[in-house]
Amino acid sequence: MTDSNDRSASVFVHPTADVEDGAKVGDGTKVWHLAHIRSSAQVGAGCVIGRNVYVDAGVTVGDLVKIQNNVSVYQGVTIEDEVFVGPCAVFTNDFRPRAQNPDWTITPTLIRRGASIGANATLVCGIEVGEYAMIAAGSVVTRDVKPYQLVAGNPARPKGWVDAKGEVVSRDVDNPPHQG
């Protein structure tokens, strides 16, 4: 991983993107048009950061992550390796947002390895999305999502189970199949 002042030749940053001093970006990562990576953010190796993506200060993004266009990843969000974030997905970090709140605190969100978040999904802060979970497009996630669980709707509800490739392997929401 290299910092913004000593960027490796293997990191591609589009001329319109802004990678602030102090940000760390891993080898082989591509940062596309109008993206903004704030100081103290860490983006792993082999990632794709799409057009108009915002990665806030203090955010950690693992290796081999793909964040599609128009996604904002705010402070308090941690994204582990091999996560897919679809276009226009929304992360929040404040349970009681106000324009002026001197007592504001960040509420963390954790996205585990291999999870997939569909386009236009909203993730309310304070949740954990389990490894290889699948969140359907347009879902509003207000609770933790179990590993390999498929959720959809507003609010998101369990709809079944997927395997590591994202294939639906069961629609029995109460009994996850053996993963191995």
Side-chain angles (χ1 to χ4, degrees):
M1 189 168 297
T2 59
D3 69 32
S4 60
N5 294 323
D6 182 31
R7 198 169 301 126
S8 166
S10 70
V11 173
F12 171 81
V13 177
H14 190 273
T16 64
D18 182 8
V19 178
E20 292 182 9
D21 289 345
K24 296 191 183 305
V25 179
D27 289 339
T29 289
K30 293 179 172 67
V31 181
W32 290 102
H33 305 77
L34 304 170
H36 185 175
I37 301 176
R38 296 281 315 275
S39 64
S40 76
Q42 294 185 35
V43 177
C47 295
V48 177
I49 306 299
R51 179 184 178 96
N52 199 40
V53 169
Y54 175 77
V55 179
D56 205 356
V59 166
T60 300
V61 176
D63 296 336
L64 303 172
V65 171
K66 182 181 272 189
I67 302 177
Q68 298 284 47
N69 298 353
N70 302 309
V71 173
S72 293
V73 185
Y74 294 110
Q75 284 184 14
V77 176
T78 299
I79 298 174
E80 292 185 347
D81 297 344
E82 300 177 7
V83 169
F84 174 86
V85 182
C88 302
V90 175
F91 294 92
T92 68
N93 68 357
D94 188 353
F95 275 128
R96 294 169 197 84
R98 294 287 187 227
Q100 299 297 319
N101 182 357
D103 299 325
W104 177 69
T105 59
I106 293 170
T107 302
T109 297
L110 177 58
I111 312 302
R112 294 283 185 190
R113 176 187 194 96
S116 291
I117 300 168
N120 292 304
T122 299
L123 286 79
V124 176
C125 57
I127 63 168
E128 181 175 324
V129 175
E131 66 181 8
Y132 298 99
M134 177 80 68
I135 297 170
S139 296
V140 178
V141 183
T142 60
R143 299 178 201 163
D144 290 350
V145 179
K146 295 177 182 173
Y148 297 92
Q149 192 170 45
L150 169 65
V151 299
N154 180 5
R157 301 265 189 239
K159 300 294 182 185
W161 304 92
V162 297
D163 62 15
K165 293 181 181 179
E167 298 289 331
V168 175
V169 294
S170 174
R171 293 285 182 179
D172 182 348
V173 299
D174 296 320
N175 298 302
H178 174 71
Q179 299 292 335

